[in-house]
Amino acid sequence: MPSTSTGYRQVSGLRRFTRYYAFSLGTVVRDWAFLAFVILMPVTMYVFFTSVFGDSADDSVTATMMIMMATYGGLGAAMNAGASIQSERSSGWFRNLMLTPLNPAEFVGAKVCTAVTVVIPALGTVFVAGFIQGIRLPMSTWAAMLALLLLALLPMVLMGLVIGLWFKPQTATAVTTLSMLTLSMLGGLWIPLEAMPAGMQSIGRLLPSHWAAQIGSWPLAGGGFPWDGVQVIAVWALALIAVGALGYRRAIRTSRR
């Protein structure tokens, strides 16, 4: 009998998770302006940069531009994981969620899966643009770059959730946009880190956005794997998990008032 009860709870939890994931994904898909921004903007910037520097750049430079713009697009898609939380909090739906059996692991898991579902086309669209622009790589290299970028950007999903939990809906969007632009600029996604002053280079090497691009480009660039970047990303992930847990508890308390 206990095993049957445990199995029922597992099935019930999976059903709750699936339904909430579908609900969260539907909220994102209906926001056409957001999808256009995170998918079309990086592609537009990539095409622009390759048009400006294409004649003077070799294939490796063009491919590096593609990785940087894919990271930028994935960064925007990942960080907007908190957008649905903002909508839920402003509409009062978050308060209703707290009255359901949905537990924190199911809540966060559904939000992360929703963000990953959006990040994949944000990355893939830039890769398609790179292929159209003439970049030819083995299929294994394309797959490795996509997988590594996706894994390296997961902490940015957590950052989006933290912003959505800690900030009011009226200010969360501005904080998300400002954080994304700061991480992109200082992380060397628009201008190579080597072209920046020494102080900015030091800051850039502490940011997960910089290392996400480095890890994503490793199958293309070769050499030693950037394990320093893995450590930086891991530290950010642990810190964001801790801050996010506090923010979730705080959001629950305030929603029940």
Side-chain angles (χ1 to χ4, degrees), residues 13-129:
L14 179 61
R15 186 179 294 113
R16 289 196 304 268
F17 167 82
T18 303
R19 288 178 176 176
Y20 186 54
Y21 163 69
F23 170 80
S24 297
L25 183 60
T27 301
V28 174
V29 170
R30 287 192 294 270
D31 191 350
W32 290 100
F34 161 68
L35 292 177
F37 177 77
V38 300
I39 293 177
L40 296 181
M41 178 64 76
V43 172
T44 302
M45 293 181 67
Y46 170 66
V47 172
F48 171 77
F49 284 133
T50 53
S51 300
V52 173
F53 302 106
D55 294 337
S56 59
D58 55 27
D59 292 342
S60 63
V61 174
T62 304
T64 300
M65 291 181 186
M66 178 188 69
I67 293 292
M68 297 303 175
M69 289 302 102
T71 306
Y72 170 62
L75 178 67
M79 288 192 64
N80 273 278
S84 59
I85 296 179
Q86 301 158 23
S87 175
E88 290 166 1
R89 293 181 65 188
S90 62
S91 64
W93 181 245
F94 187 84
R95 179 178 300 177
N96 293 334
L97 284 175
M98 297 305 100
L99 301 177
T100 69
L102 190 73
N103 61 47
E106 293 163 356
F107 175 84
V108 173
K111 294 300 184 186
V112 171
C113 289
T114 300
V116 169
T117 305
V118 179
V119 170
I120 291 175
L123 299 176
T125 307
V126 180
F127 284 177
V128 170

